[in-house]
Amino acid sequence: MNSRGFTLVELLVVIAIIAILLMLMAPTAGRMMVLVDKDVCYSNVHHLSIAWATYQAENNGCLVNGSTHGANPWAKWGDETESNSSRYTLITTGALFPYTHETRFYLCPSDPYKHIRSYSIASMMNGCDWSPEDIVNNHPDLLIPYANRYVQVLAPSEQMVFCDEKDSRSSSNMGTFAQDRLDWNYNRWVDYVANFHERGDNFGFADGHAEYWKWVDDRTIDASTKRQFFYPDPAANRNQDLWRIRRSAFAGIAGAY
């Protein structure tokens, strides 16, 4: 190098080296962002689960309304498009917000839609009734035993409360996250998991802890991609992911299966 600094050739070499380094680092940076988003989502459902447990502790053991409509819901269903200037009131006027204090806890950073909420509560946790008509009319003994008090949750560390749920509509999921009881002998998805995080999703539980579940069956990804309600999953080859979710959805409720 002379007193005038880099020559043109030397400058081009430096630029080329920097470009190569950036190319080599790009996959690593992308991978790091995926992991960060997964960890943020995990923290969100953990915060929501703690808030959920605190609500019942301060309300004589009564569970917050797990649906997004009806009396005093945990969060409200409505227009979440960016043009709706009051869309965050769907969260801030919800019954759980005094226990969370932050709207950011309701949104997964990997949610591809312009929502303000990415999470749903499992139907059995004081959620909305959606039992199929044939069960209601012909097998009332198999109706879902919804819990509305914490004392009814017999296995809090196994009982799912919160999950990621993907919805392409102008609002986050209406109602609750629903699945069939095991003893209904159906083998289908009712609602589907989001698959936001490397073939997996985060879940919050009734004792306040959170878990990341990695999906092992391609049909889980297929159901999430196609987003069809009552998506079939043939009983001849049972989906371990679906059965794991169904067991956890009903794990702590007496008489659920």
Side-chain angles (χ1 to χ4, degrees):
M1 184 175 70
N2 57 33
S3 59
R4 294 178 299 172
F6 285 113
T7 66
L8 178 60
V9 173
E10 290 171 329
L11 183 59
L12 291 175
V13 169
V14 170
I15 292 173
I17 292 173
I18 293 174
I20 292 171
L21 289 174
L22 290 174
M23 290 176 60
L24 293 174
M25 291 172 61
T28 302
R31 168 70 174 159
M32 288 179 63
M33 289 304 301
V34 168
L35 294 175
V36 167
D37 284 355
K38 182 174 73 173
D39 288 345
V40 170
C41 178
Y42 178 95
S43 177
N44 287 349
V45 294
H46 189 200
H47 275 96
L48 289 172
S49 299
I50 292 174
W52 181 92
T54 304
Y55 177 97
Q56 65 80 22
E58 295 186 1
N59 288 272
N60 299 314
C62 294
L63 304 186
V64 69
N65 181 357
S67 182
T68 55
H69 47 78
N72 205 24
W74 76 280
K76 297 178 181 179
W77 185 82
D79 180 13
E80 295 184 19
T81 55
E82 291 181 297
S83 59
N84 179 13
S85 60
S86 62
R87 62 180 183 155
Y88 280 99
T89 61
L90 299 171
I91 289 176
T92 58
T93 59
L96 208 59
F97 188 73
Y99 301 88
T100 60
H101 307 292
E102 295 279 355
T103 58
R104 61 188 173 90
F105 294 142
Y106 294 70
L107 181 67
C108 173
S110 295
D111 191 331
Y113 303 105
K114 296 185 182 301
H115 288 162
I116 59 173
R117 176 175 59 85
S118 306
Y119 308 109
S120 295
I121 289 181
S123 289
M124 290 61 64
M125 296 289 93
N126 198 25
C128 54
D129 189 351
W130 60 274
S131 302
E133 186 175 351
D134 62 320
I135 296 293
V136 174
N137 293 334
N138 302 319
H139 302 283
D141 56 314
L142 295 182
L143 292 175
I144 292 178
Y146 294 89
N148 53 38
R149 297 187 63 84
Y150 195 75
V151 69
Q152 296 171 272
V153 182
L154 304 183
S157 64
E158 301 173 20
Q159 177 65 58
M160 175 201 305
V161 178
F162 289 97
C163 70
D164 270 322
E165 188 169 359
K166 180 167 54 179
D167 201 315
S168 60
R169 295 173 293 186
S170 62
S171 182
S172 302
N173 180 54
M174 179 176 64
T176 47
F177 181 74
Q179 296 298 336
D180 291 327
R181 275 176 56 155
L182 296 178
D183 54 1
W184 284 356
N185 202 32
Y186 295 150
N187 219 33
R188 64 184 183 184
W189 294 90
V190 179
D191 288 331
Y192 38 81
V193 293
N195 183 35
F196 282 156
H197 306 292
E198 297 186 301
R199 293 179 62 95
D201 290 291
N202 291 303
F203 293 84
F205 294 81
D207 66 346
H209 87 280
E211 294 180 9
Y212 169 74
W213 288 5
K214 187 85 168 181
W215 307 128
V216 298
D217 194 309
D218 288 339
R219 289 172 298 174
T220 303
I221 311 303
D222 190 49
S224 176
T225 301
K226 293 180 178 177
R227 301 193 303 276
Q228 296 175 355
F229 296 109
F230 304 111
Y231 190 80
D233 208 344
N237 186 16
R238 289 179 175 173
N239 184 333
Q240 296 178 49
D241 300 326
L242 176 57
W243 280 72
R244 183 183 187 185
I245 289 171
R246 289 169 71 180
R247 287 191 185 96
S248 180
F250 297 98
I253 306 176
Y257 63 89

